[in-house]
Amino acid sequence: MRLEGKVCLITGAASGIGKATTLLFMQEGATVIAGDISKENLDSLVKEAEGLPGKVDPYILNVTDRDQIKEVVEKVVQKYGRIDVLVNNAGITRDALLVRMKEEDWDAVINVNLKGVFNVTQMVVPYMIKQRNGSIVNVSSVVGIYGNPGQTNYAASKAGVIGMTKTWAKELAGRNIRVNAVAPGFIETPMTEKLPEKAREAALSRIPLGRFGKPEEVAQVILFLASDESSYVTGQVIGIDGGLVI
Ligand code: NAD
């Protein structure tokens, strides 16, 4: 098992990509600290995870609430003694064309997708520095690299995540902490199911593999980056997009 004995904190763990990653990490023997704002979804995650080899420990964790993050991280370290892996996955969209985008939509997306990644990482990294070991995987997006009409706020947040990934990879390499990102394309999750049929068709026509991705396919790449199999990989952004951006 590739994550046997590892303590892994995943944000936005109760749905879509975060949920698939939690279940896969457990199959690989991890103890997953599953953070999310949805109590209901956390409860069903715990039910779904029953019988898997690892362990899931759910927490209400809002990545915009620095006091709450501090409290959860301290509790986890008290309980398990360490945090080996951090997956910054929590994310939201509030789409609108530039001229119509409300300031609160800009603020909400930047606050969760960009500042949220900063908040959680800043609280976890001191423990990784102490243990001189850690792997951080940030969930960015192809939109952060190539842009997308209607997603000014989202593109800015996801491009920012790539900037932080590369900065932290350089800053923390000397402490044996690796930092990488994934850039998923169009993945079938609750985030994308509300998109209008026209937008889905247009997206599909641009994907060389001819289909949308599954959350489990993103989770497999996150697993690789989280595990020791990628021990010489840091500062990278790996696309998981069916060839969308070749
Ligand atoms: P999702 O909506 O299924 O899951 C997101 C999870 O994050 C939910 O459980 C939600 O409750 C949680 N969340 C929202 N705000 C939070 C907060 N403030 N604190 C903690 N948790 C919070 O979406 P998904 O598609 O699984 O997205 C996961 C990540 O993947 C996001 O960062 C998203 O931007 C990114 N992504 C998704 C796609 C896609 O096509 N689905 C593509 C590229 C990148």
Side-chain angles (χ1 to χ4, degrees):
M1 285 196 280
R2 288 183 279 179
L3 293 177
E4 180 115 55
K6 302 244 190 203
V7 179
C8 308
L9 170 57
I10 301 178
T11 68
S15 171
I17 293 167
K19 181 168 157 180
T21 305
T22 299
L23 298 174
L24 181 62
F25 276 24
M26 288 179 68
Q27 272 161 20
E28 295 293 335
T31 293
V32 179
I33 314 306
D36 207 291
I37 49 171
S38 167
K39 162 97 173 74
E40 200 188 334
N41 289 350
L42 278 173
D43 288 346
S44 50
L45 169 71
V46 170
K47 274 208 190 106
E48 219 174 297
E50 267 169 27
L52 289 176
K55 178 180 167 165
V56 62
D57 196 358
Y59 287 86
I60 293 291
L61 180 73
N62 186 334
V63 298
T64 68
D65 183 341
R66 288 177 63 88
D67 291 338
Q68 191 181 51
I69 300 164
K70 192 165 183 281
E71 205 177 291
V72 169
V73 168
E74 278 172 3
K75 255 192 212 156
V76 166
V77 173
Q78 256 174 24
K79 198 162 163 188
Y80 299 102
R82 55 193 300 111
I83 298 177
D84 299 292
V85 171
L86 167 62
V87 180
N88 284 305
N89 166 75
I92 58 167
T93 52
R94 296 278 185 279
D95 297 351
L97 291 173
L98 171 63
V99 290
R100 284 193 217 125
M101 185 168 283
K102 297 193 185 94
E103 188 182 357
E104 66 235 40
D105 292 335
W106 167 268
D107 288 343
V109 169
I110 295 296
N111 212 15
V112 175
N113 297 10
L114 183 64
K115 195 173 173 202
V117 174
F118 164 75
N119 286 340
V120 180
T121 307
Q122 197 183 38
M123 307 275 180
V124 168
V125 155
Y127 297 101
M128 288 183 165
I129 289 177
K130 257 191 216 149
Q131 69 206 27
R132 291 193 74 81
N133 180 46
S135 175
I136 300 171
V137 185
N138 296 325
V139 180
S140 178
S141 165
V142 289
V143 173
I145 308 171
Y146 298 95
N148 196 28
Q151 292 199 305
T152 295
N153 47 4
Y154 188 77
S157 71
K158 294 300 186 182
V161 165
I162 291 173
M164 293 195 295
T165 301
K166 294 184 179 181
T167 299
W168 296 338
K170 288 179 175 171
E171 227 176 273
L172 299 169
R175 310 299 187 114
N176 197 30
I177 299 167
R178 298 181 298 107
V179 190
N180 292 286
V182 291
F186 197 115
I187 311 299
E188 297 272 20
T189 72
M191 181 179 273
T192 46
E193 75 188 2
K194 30 181 181 166
L195 281 177
E197 198 47 40
K198 241 182 157 183
R200 292 170 68 88
E201 274 165 25
L204 191 58
S205 70
R206 291 188 290 128
I207 301 172
L209 281 181
R211 63 176 178 84
F212 299 131
K214 300 187 196 83
E216 293 76 15
E217 293 176 297
V218 179
Q220 289 289 352
V221 182
I222 296 176
L223 169 63
F224 169 70
L225 292 172
S227 76
D228 295 338
E229 284 179 1
S230 59
S231 51
Y232 203 51
V233 180
T234 195
Q236 301 305 302
V237 183
I238 302 191
I240 311 160
D241 59 12
L244 177 66
V245 293
I246 294 169

